[in-house]
Amino acid sequence: MSAASDTPANPNSAAPMNPATATTTIGVVGAGQMGSGIAQLAAASGFRVVLHDADPDSLRRARHSISRRLGDAGDARSRLLFASDLTDLREADLIVEAIVESEPAKKALFASLDGLAKPSAILASNTSSISITRLASSTSRPARVIGMHFMNPPPVMKLVEIVRGSETSDEVFEVVKSLAERLGKTVICSRDYPGFVVNRILMPMINEAFHALYTGVATKEDIDTGMRLGTNHPMGPLQLADFIGLDICLSIMRVLHNGLGEDKYRPCPLLVQYVDAGRLGKKSGAGVYMYRNGRL
């Protein structure tokens, strides 16, 4: 007879799940650049996908852009459902939130999803900086809430950053890690600290590039060229900020500054000024650089 284990049971652990088969339907909330990219990736990887957005125009744009990017992959397109009703996500095994980087908005959405999703569903956030533990507190299932941070654009970038909240169960972590690998991603894991790993390092660099521009150290072109050719980055930090969205960069810097309390994380006044002026980057046609039809 085998001896009983001395290891205490994890109170957050549900019944064991098979990571290879636990997820067949993925819901994505938010049909913007990140959400549509995640939906495209999941459909192309063989999952049934429900992409939700309350804005019909956003859904229409997502349908057009995903169809264009998938090209002749008719099977993948047939696995995609575009939905304006949140209840269409009720049978999803995993729901990935990819809405605006706002803690109140995300908490409100998680509370709604908690009330309609099946009990076994995992709720994941694509947040790039906000505490998973705090998001999970708006639900009755904190053990089944996790961070699943895709990089932009999701179909191209190879990384997914997984963030466990204080209550996230081991089983949920294993399911989400396995799923990310089925999507062809390399996984890194972060503790639930502001900015996690990638943005804890990346955003202060972008913010410092704004300070260099703000104080007249160099032109925007020379700042970006210096970082591209001097450090072998594929894109300079100011152009990268335009691609991410200056409003998103500012939001993340505020999360870092509020959460970590150090002055080095205070957003550069120039970044604040650009966002206040509606210069949000490539998506708005103007940021650090000016864009026409999405091109510099």
Side-chain angles (χ1 to χ4, degrees), residues 154-184:
V156 176
M157 301 296 282
K158 299 298 184 184
L159 186 71
V160 166
E161 189 175 36
I162 294 180
V163 185
R164 297 179 66 157
S166 64
E167 303 295 321
T168 305
S169 72
D170 293 341
E171 290 83 3
V172 165
F173 169 77
E174 291 298 336
V175 167
V176 172
K177 180 175 182 291
S178 175
L179 186 145
E181 290 168 348
R182 287 173 64 188
L183 295 175

PDB file of all heavy atoms in Angstrom, residues 154-184:
ATOM      1  N   PRO A 154      -0.113  39.657 -31.826  1.00  0.00           N
ATOM      2  CA  PRO A 154      -0.122  38.285 -31.298  1.00  0.00           C
ATOM      3  C   PRO A 154       0.193  37.187 -32.314  1.00  0.00           C
ATOM      4  O   PRO A 154       0.868  36.213 -31.954  1.00  0.00           O
ATOM      5  CB  PRO A 154      -1.546  38.139 -30.745  1.00  0.00           C
ATOM      6  CG  PRO A 154      -1.945  39.528 -30.400  1.00  0.00           C
ATOM      7  CD  PRO A 154      -1.345  40.391 -31.468  1.00  0.00           C
ATOM      8  N   PRO A 155      -0.260  37.272 -33.584  1.00  0.00           N
ATOM      9  CA  PRO A 155       0.068  36.170 -34.503  1.00  0.00           C
ATOM     10  C   PRO A 155       1.555  36.081 -34.847  1.00  0.00           C
ATOM     11  O   PRO A 155       2.015  35.039 -35.308  1.00  0.00           O
ATOM     12  CB  PRO A 155      -0.752  36.492 -35.761  1.00  0.00           C
ATOM     13  CG  PRO A 155      -1.846  37.396 -35.292  1.00  0.00           C
ATOM     14  CD  PRO A 155      -1.216  38.215 -34.207  1.00  0.00           C
ATOM     15  N   VAL A 156       2.298  37.164 -34.611  1.00  0.00           N
ATOM     16  CA  VAL A 156       3.702  37.226 -35.038  1.00  0.00           C
ATOM     17  C   VAL A 156       4.670  37.051 -33.877  1.00  0.00           C
ATOM     18  O   VAL A 156       5.638  36.281 -33.962  1.00  0.00           O
ATOM     19  CB  VAL A 156       3.981  38.560 -35.752  1.00  0.00           C
ATOM     20  CG1 VAL A 156       5.466  38.687 -36.122  1.00  0.00           C
ATOM     21  CG2 VAL A 156       3.107  38.706 -36.994  1.00  0.00           C
ATOM     22  N   MET A 157       4.435  37.741 -32.784  1.00  0.00           N
ATOM     23  CA  MET A 157       5.373  37.733 -31.661  1.00  0.00           C
ATOM     24  C   MET A 157       5.342  36.392 -30.939  1.00  0.00           C
ATOM     25  O   MET A 157       4.270  35.814 -30.725  1.00  0.00           O
ATOM     26  CB  MET A 157       5.052  38.872 -30.700  1.00  0.00           C
ATOM     27  CG  MET A 157       5.116  40.254 -31.366  1.00  0.00           C
ATOM     28  SD  MET A 157       6.770  40.672 -31.955  1.00  0.00           S
ATOM     29  CE  MET A 157       7.558  41.126 -30.425  1.00  0.00           C
ATOM     30  N   LYS A 158       6.505  35.910 -30.567  1.00  0.00           N
ATOM     31  CA  LYS A 158       6.646  34.531 -30.099  1.00  0.00           C
ATOM     32  C   LYS A 158       6.427  34.345 -28.604  1.00  0.00           C
ATOM     33  O   LYS A 158       6.427  33.215 -28.116  1.00  0.00           O
ATOM     34  CB  LYS A 158       8.045  34.006 -30.459  1.00  0.00           C
ATOM     35  CG  LYS A 158       8.336  33.970 -31.947  1.00  0.00           C
ATOM     36  CD  LYS A 158       7.398  33.034 -32.676  1.00  0.00           C
ATOM     37  CE  LYS A 158       7.732  32.904 -34.156  1.00  0.00           C
ATOM     38  NZ  LYS A 158       6.731  32.062 -34.863  1.00  0.00           N
ATOM     39  N   LEU A 159       6.227  35.434 -27.870  1.00  0.00           N
ATOM     40  CA  LEU A 159       6.202  35.347 -26.412  1.00  0.00           C
ATOM     41  C   LEU A 159       4.796  35.490 -25.851  1.00  0.00           C
ATOM     42  O   LEU A 159       3.999  36.282 -26.337  1.00  0.00           O
ATOM     43  CB  LEU A 159       7.083  36.453 -25.817  1.00  0.00           C
ATOM     44  CG  LEU A 159       7.270  36.411 -24.301  1.00  0.00           C
ATOM     45  CD1 LEU A 159       8.164  35.234 -23.912  1.00  0.00           C
ATOM     46  CD2 LEU A 159       7.849  37.717 -23.786  1.00  0.00           C
ATOM     47  N   VAL A 160       4.520  34.718 -24.787  1.00  0.00           N
ATOM     48  CA  VAL A 160       3.370  34.960 -23.918  1.00  0.00           C
ATOM     49  C   VAL A 160       3.892  34.991 -22.487  1.00  0.00           C
ATOM     50  O   VAL A 160       4.634  34.104 -22.059  1.00  0.00           O
ATOM     51  CB  VAL A 160       2.285  33.877 -24.071  1.00  0.00           C
ATOM     52  CG1 VAL A 160       1.279  33.963 -22.930  1.00  0.00           C
ATOM     53  CG2 VAL A 160       1.559  34.017 -25.397  1.00  0.00           C
ATOM     54  N   GLU A 161       3.488  36.029 -21.776  1.00  0.00           N
ATOM     55  CA  GLU A 161       3.886  36.220 -20.385  1.00  0.00           C
ATOM     56  C   GLU A 161       2.710  35.784 -19.505  1.00  0.00           C
ATOM     57  O   GLU A 161       1.626  36.362 -19.593  1.00  0.00           O
ATOM     58  CB  GLU A 161       4.197  37.700 -20.188  1.00  0.00           C
ATOM     59  CG  GLU A 161       4.816  38.090 -18.883  1.00  0.00           C
ATOM     60  CD  GLU A 161       5.190  39.575 -18.885  1.00  0.00           C
ATOM     61  OE1 GLU A 161       4.444  40.404 -19.476  1.00  0.00           O
ATOM     62  OE2 GLU A 161       6.225  39.913 -18.300  1.00  0.00           O
ATOM     63  N   ILE A 162       2.906  34.741 -18.712  1.00  0.00           N
ATOM     64  CA  ILE A 162       1.850  34.231 -17.846  1.00  0.00           C
ATOM     65  C   ILE A 162       2.073  34.756 -16.429  1.00  0.00           C
ATOM     66  O   ILE A 162       3.177  34.678 -15.893  1.00  0.00           O
ATOM     67  CB  ILE A 162       1.810  32.697 -17.861  1.00  0.00           C
ATOM     68  CG1 ILE A 162       1.410  32.196 -19.257  1.00  0.00           C
ATOM     69  CG2 ILE A 162       0.831  32.170 -16.813  1.00  0.00           C
ATOM     70  CD1 ILE A 162       1.345  30.689 -19.378  1.00  0.00           C
ATOM     71  N   VAL A 163       0.992  35.284 -15.855  1.00  0.00           N
ATOM     72  CA  VAL A 163       1.072  35.898 -14.529  1.00  0.00           C
ATOM     73  C   VAL A 163       0.049  35.224 -13.619  1.00  0.00           C
ATOM     74  O   VAL A 163      -1.151  35.230 -13.908  1.00  0.00           O
ATOM     75  CB  VAL A 163       0.790  37.416 -14.600  1.00  0.00           C
ATOM     76  CG1 VAL A 163       1.005  38.055 -13.228  1.00  0.00           C
ATOM     77  CG2 VAL A 163       1.659  38.078 -15.661  1.00  0.00           C
ATOM     78  N   ARG A 164       0.526  34.673 -12.541  1.00  0.00           N
ATOM     79  CA  ARG A 164      -0.357  34.029 -11.571  1.00  0.00           C
ATOM     80  C   ARG A 164      -0.766  35.036 -10.506  1.00  0.00           C
ATOM     81  O   ARG A 164       0.078  35.713  -9.921  1.00  0.00           O
ATOM     82  CB  ARG A 164       0.344  32.849 -10.905  1.00  0.00           C
ATOM     83  CG  ARG A 164       0.723  31.747 -11.861  1.00  0.00           C
ATOM     84  CD  ARG A 164       1.437  30.607 -11.167  1.00  0.00           C
ATOM     85  NE  ARG A 164       0.559  29.906 -10.238  1.00  0.00           N
ATOM     86  CZ  ARG A 164       0.748  28.650  -9.843  1.00  0.00           C
ATOM     87  NH1 ARG A 164       1.785  27.965 -10.316  1.00  0.00           N
ATOM     88  NH2 ARG A 164      -0.075  28.070  -9.009  1.00  0.00           N
ATOM     89  N   GLY A 165      -2.083  35.138 -10.257  1.00  0.00           N
ATOM     90  CA  GLY A 165      -2.542  35.895  -9.107  1.00  0.00           C
ATOM     91  C   GLY A 165      -2.276  35.123  -7.832  1.00  0.00           C
ATOM     92  O   GLY A 165      -1.843  33.960  -7.863  1.00  0.00           O
ATOM     93  N   SER A 166      -2.547  35.738  -6.697  1.00  0.00           N
ATOM     94  CA  SER A 166      -2.258  35.075  -5.419  1.00  0.00           C
ATOM     95  C   SER A 166      -3.083  33.813  -5.210  1.00  0.00           C
ATOM     96  O   SER A 166      -2.691  32.922  -4.451  1.00  0.00           O
ATOM     97  CB  SER A 166      -2.503  36.044  -4.262  1.00  0.00           C
ATOM     98  OG  SER A 166      -3.867  36.415  -4.192  1.00  0.00           O
ATOM     99  N   GLU A 167      -4.237  33.699  -5.909  1.00  0.00           N
ATOM    100  CA  GLU A 167      -5.114  32.547  -5.731  1.00  0.00           C
ATOM    101  C   GLU A 167      -5.123  31.601  -6.933  1.00  0.00           C
ATOM    102  O   GLU A 167      -5.811  30.576  -6.909  1.00  0.00           O
ATOM    103  CB  GLU A 167      -6.550  33.019  -5.466  1.00  0.00           C
ATOM    104  CG  GLU A 167      -6.706  33.932  -4.268  1.00  0.00           C
ATOM    105  CD  GLU A 167      -6.372  33.233  -2.965  1.00  0.00           C
ATOM    106  OE1 GLU A 167      -6.726  32.044  -2.831  1.00  0.00           O
ATOM    107  OE2 GLU A 167      -5.739  33.862  -2.102  1.00  0.00           O
ATOM    108  N   THR A 168      -4.409  31.912  -7.998  1.00  0.00           N
ATOM    109  CA  THR A 168      -4.455  31.087  -9.206  1.00  0.00           C
ATOM    110  C   THR A 168      -4.000  29.661  -8.901  1.00  0.00           C
ATOM    111  O   THR A 168      -2.926  29.455  -8.323  1.00  0.00           O
ATOM    112  CB  THR A 168      -3.563  31.674 -10.310  1.00  0.00           C
ATOM    113  OG1 THR A 168      -3.941  33.029 -10.555  1.00  0.00           O
ATOM    114  CG2 THR A 168      -3.696  30.874 -11.602  1.00  0.00           C
ATOM    115  N   SER A 169      -4.783  28.674  -9.298  1.00  0.00           N
ATOM    116  CA  SER A 169      -4.456  27.286  -8.989  1.00  0.00           C
ATOM    117  C   SER A 169      -3.358  26.749  -9.895  1.00  0.00           C
ATOM    118  O   SER A 169      -3.126  27.244 -11.004  1.00  0.00           O
ATOM    119  CB  SER A 169      -5.704  26.400  -9.131  1.00  0.00           C
ATOM    120  OG  SER A 169      -6.041  26.241 -10.500  1.00  0.00           O
ATOM    121  N   ASP A 170      -2.686  25.712  -9.413  1.00  0.00           N
ATOM    122  CA  ASP A 170      -1.644  25.056 -10.209  1.00  0.00           C
ATOM    123  C   ASP A 170      -2.229  24.491 -11.497  1.00  0.00           C
ATOM    124  O   ASP A 170      -1.611  24.557 -12.562  1.00  0.00           O
ATOM    125  CB  ASP A 170      -1.005  23.922  -9.401  1.00  0.00           C
ATOM    126  CG  ASP A 170      -0.223  24.423  -8.204  1.00  0.00           C
ATOM    127  OD1 ASP A 170       0.144  25.617  -8.183  1.00  0.00           O
ATOM    128  OD2 ASP A 170       0.009  23.616  -7.277  1.00  0.00           O
ATOM    129  N   GLU A 171      -3.425  23.909 -11.414  1.00  0.00           N
ATOM    130  CA  GLU A 171      -4.034  23.292 -12.590  1.00  0.00           C
ATOM    131  C   GLU A 171      -4.338  24.328 -13.672  1.00  0.00           C
ATOM    132  O   GLU A 171      -4.107  24.084 -14.851  1.00  0.00           O
ATOM    133  CB  GLU A 171      -5.307  22.544 -12.186  1.00  0.00           C
ATOM    134  CG  GLU A 171      -5.059  21.280 -11.373  1.00  0.00           C
ATOM    135  CD  GLU A 171      -4.850  21.559  -9.893  1.00  0.00           C
ATOM    136  OE1 GLU A 171      -4.948  22.734  -9.474  1.00  0.00           O
ATOM    137  OE2 GLU A 171      -4.571  20.614  -9.146  1.00  0.00           O
ATOM    138  N   VAL A 172      -4.877  25.461 -13.255  1.00  0.00           N
ATOM    139  CA  VAL A 172      -5.177  26.524 -14.225  1.00  0.00           C
ATOM    140  C   VAL A 172      -3.888  27.021 -14.873  1.00  0.00           C
ATOM    141  O   VAL A 172      -3.832  27.234 -16.093  1.00  0.00           O
ATOM    142  CB  VAL A 172      -5.948  27.675 -13.541  1.00  0.00           C
ATOM    143  CG1 VAL A 172      -5.937  28.933 -14.405  1.00  0.00           C
ATOM    144  CG2 VAL A 172      -7.387  27.240 -13.267  1.00  0.00           C
ATOM    145  N   PHE A 173      -2.853  27.186 -14.090  1.00  0.00           N
ATOM    146  CA  PHE A 173      -1.565  27.589 -14.654  1.00  0.00           C
ATOM    147  C   PHE A 173      -1.094  26.595 -15.706  1.00  0.00           C
ATOM    148  O   PHE A 173      -0.657  26.986 -16.805  1.00  0.00           O
ATOM    149  CB  PHE A 173      -0.510  27.722 -13.553  1.00  0.00           C
ATOM    150  CG  PHE A 173       0.881  27.872 -14.077  1.00  0.00           C
ATOM    151  CD1 PHE A 173       1.323  29.087 -14.586  1.00  0.00           C
ATOM    152  CD2 PHE A 173       1.754  26.790 -14.090  1.00  0.00           C
ATOM    153  CE1 PHE A 173       2.608  29.223 -15.091  1.00  0.00           C
ATOM    154  CE2 PHE A 173       3.042  26.921 -14.589  1.00  0.00           C
ATOM    155  CZ  PHE A 173       3.472  28.135 -15.091  1.00  0.00           C
ATOM    156  N   GLU A 174      -1.187  25.293 -15.415  1.00  0.00           N
ATOM    157  CA  GLU A 174      -0.710  24.280 -16.354  1.00  0.00           C
ATOM    158  C   GLU A 174      -1.550  24.277 -17.631  1.00  0.00           C
ATOM    159  O   GLU A 174      -1.020  24.095 -18.735  1.00  0.00           O
ATOM    160  CB  GLU A 174      -0.727  22.897 -15.702  1.00  0.00           C
ATOM    161  CG  GLU A 174       0.317  22.720 -14.605  1.00  0.00           C
ATOM    162  CD  GLU A 174       1.748  22.853 -15.118  1.00  0.00           C
ATOM    163  OE1 GLU A 174       1.976  22.624 -16.326  1.00  0.00           O
ATOM    164  OE2 GLU A 174       2.628  23.196 -14.311  1.00  0.00           O
ATOM    165  N   VAL A 175      -2.868  24.447 -17.498  1.00  0.00           N
ATOM    166  CA  VAL A 175      -3.733  24.486 -18.676  1.00  0.00           C
ATOM    167  C   VAL A 175      -3.360  25.665 -19.572  1.00  0.00           C
ATOM    168  O   VAL A 175      -3.227  25.529 -20.796  1.00  0.00           O
ATOM    169  CB  VAL A 175      -5.218  24.569 -18.271  1.00  0.00           C
ATOM    170  CG1 VAL A 175      -6.084  24.922 -19.477  1.00  0.00           C
ATOM    171  CG2 VAL A 175      -5.683  23.255 -17.669  1.00  0.00           C
ATOM    172  N   VAL A 176      -3.192  26.834 -18.979  1.00  0.00           N
ATOM    173  CA  VAL A 176      -2.900  28.033 -19.766  1.00  0.00           C
ATOM    174  C   VAL A 176      -1.502  27.963 -20.365  1.00  0.00           C
ATOM    175  O   VAL A 176      -1.280  28.360 -21.516  1.00  0.00           O
ATOM    176  CB  VAL A 176      -3.095  29.294 -18.901  1.00  0.00           C
ATOM    177  CG1 VAL A 176      -2.608  30.542 -19.629  1.00  0.00           C
ATOM    178  CG2 VAL A 176      -4.577  29.450 -18.544  1.00  0.00           C
ATOM    179  N   LYS A 177      -0.549  27.445 -19.636  1.00  0.00           N
ATOM    180  CA  LYS A 177       0.798  27.280 -20.178  1.00  0.00           C
ATOM    181  C   LYS A 177       0.786  26.331 -21.370  1.00  0.00           C
ATOM    182  O   LYS A 177       1.397  26.592 -22.414  1.00  0.00           O
ATOM    183  CB  LYS A 177       1.740  26.761 -19.096  1.00  0.00           C
ATOM    184  CG  LYS A 177       3.182  26.552 -19.551  1.00  0.00           C
ATOM    185  CD  LYS A 177       4.055  26.141 -18.364  1.00  0.00           C
ATOM    186  CE  LYS A 177       5.508  25.984 -18.795  1.00  0.00           C
ATOM    187  NZ  LYS A 177       5.713  24.815 -19.670  1.00  0.00           N
ATOM    188  N   SER A 178       0.075  25.195 -21.235  1.00  0.00           N
ATOM    189  CA  SER A 178      -0.019  24.230 -22.323  1.00  0.00           C
ATOM    190  C   SER A 178      -0.714  24.849 -23.531  1.00  0.00           C
ATOM    191  O   SER A 178      -0.299  24.649 -24.676  1.00  0.00           O
ATOM    192  CB  SER A 178      -0.791  22.996 -21.853  1.00  0.00           C
ATOM    193  OG  SER A 178      -1.004  22.094 -22.918  1.00  0.00           O
ATOM    194  N   LEU A 179      -1.762  25.623 -23.282  1.00  0.00           N
ATOM    195  CA  LEU A 179      -2.484  26.252 -24.380  1.00  0.00           C
ATOM    196  C   LEU A 179      -1.583  27.242 -25.117  1.00  0.00           C
ATOM    197  O   LEU A 179      -1.575  27.278 -26.355  1.00  0.00           O
ATOM    198  CB  LEU A 179      -3.730  26.956 -23.840  1.00  0.00           C
ATOM    199  CG  LEU A 179      -4.673  27.552 -24.880  1.00  0.00           C
ATOM    200  CD1 LEU A 179      -6.107  27.417 -24.424  1.00  0.00           C
ATOM    201  CD2 LEU A 179      -4.348  29.007 -25.144  1.00  0.00           C
ATOM    202  N   ALA A 180      -0.833  28.052 -24.386  1.00  0.00           N
ATOM    203  CA  ALA A 180       0.073  29.005 -25.023  1.00  0.00           C
ATOM    204  C   ALA A 180       1.094  28.287 -25.897  1.00  0.00           C
ATOM    205  O   ALA A 180       1.423  28.741 -27.002  1.00  0.00           O
ATOM    206  CB  ALA A 180       0.779  29.854 -23.966  1.00  0.00           C
ATOM    207  N   GLU A 181       1.563  27.145 -25.439  1.00  0.00           N
ATOM    208  CA  GLU A 181       2.510  26.367 -26.231  1.00  0.00           C
ATOM    209  C   GLU A 181       1.842  25.775 -27.463  1.00  0.00           C
ATOM    210  O   GLU A 181       2.456  25.695 -28.534  1.00  0.00           O
ATOM    211  CB  GLU A 181       3.133  25.283 -25.351  1.00  0.00           C
ATOM    212  CG  GLU A 181       4.090  25.877 -24.299  1.00  0.00           C
ATOM    213  CD  GLU A 181       4.498  24.893 -23.222  1.00  0.00           C
ATOM    214  OE1 GLU A 181       3.865  23.798 -23.142  1.00  0.00           O
ATOM    215  OE2 GLU A 181       5.415  25.210 -22.444  1.00  0.00           O
ATOM    216  N   ARG A 182       0.572  25.386 -27.348  1.00  0.00           N
ATOM    217  CA  ARG A 182      -0.172  24.909 -28.526  1.00  0.00           C
ATOM    218  C   ARG A 182      -0.354  26.020 -29.545  1.00  0.00           C
ATOM    219  O   ARG A 182      -0.477  25.771 -30.747  1.00  0.00           O
ATOM    220  CB  ARG A 182      -1.539  24.370 -28.101  1.00  0.00           C
ATOM    221  CG  ARG A 182      -1.488  23.029 -27.378  1.00  0.00           C
ATOM    222  CD  ARG A 182      -2.846  22.645 -26.845  1.00  0.00           C
ATOM    223  NE  ARG A 182      -3.836  22.424 -27.898  1.00  0.00           N
ATOM    224  CZ  ARG A 182      -5.130  22.221 -27.657  1.00  0.00           C
ATOM    225  NH1 ARG A 182      -5.586  22.224 -26.407  1.00  0.00           N
ATOM    226  NH2 ARG A 182      -5.962  22.025 -28.660  1.00  0.00           N
ATOM    227  N   LEU A 183      -0.351  27.259 -29.089  1.00  0.00           N
ATOM    228  CA  LEU A 183      -0.426  28.405 -29.986  1.00  0.00           C
ATOM    229  C   LEU A 183       0.935  28.748 -30.589  1.00  0.00           C
ATOM    230  O   LEU A 183       1.056  29.724 -31.337  1.00  0.00           O
ATOM    231  CB  LEU A 183      -0.979  29.622 -29.237  1.00  0.00           C
ATOM    232  CG  LEU A 183      -2.423  29.522 -28.732  1.00  0.00           C
ATOM    233  CD1 LEU A 183      -2.773  30.754 -27.909  1.00  0.00           C
ATOM    234  CD2 LEU A 183      -3.408  29.341 -29.879  1.00  0.00           C
ATOM    235  N   GLY A 184       1.943  27.965 -30.259  1.00  0.00           N
ATOM    236  CA  GLY A 184       3.268  28.174 -30.827  1.00  0.00           C
ATOM    237  C   GLY A 184       4.102  29.194 -30.094  1.00  0.00           C
ATOM    238  O   GLY A 184       5.097  29.704 -30.639  1.00  0.00           O
TER     239      GLY A 184
END
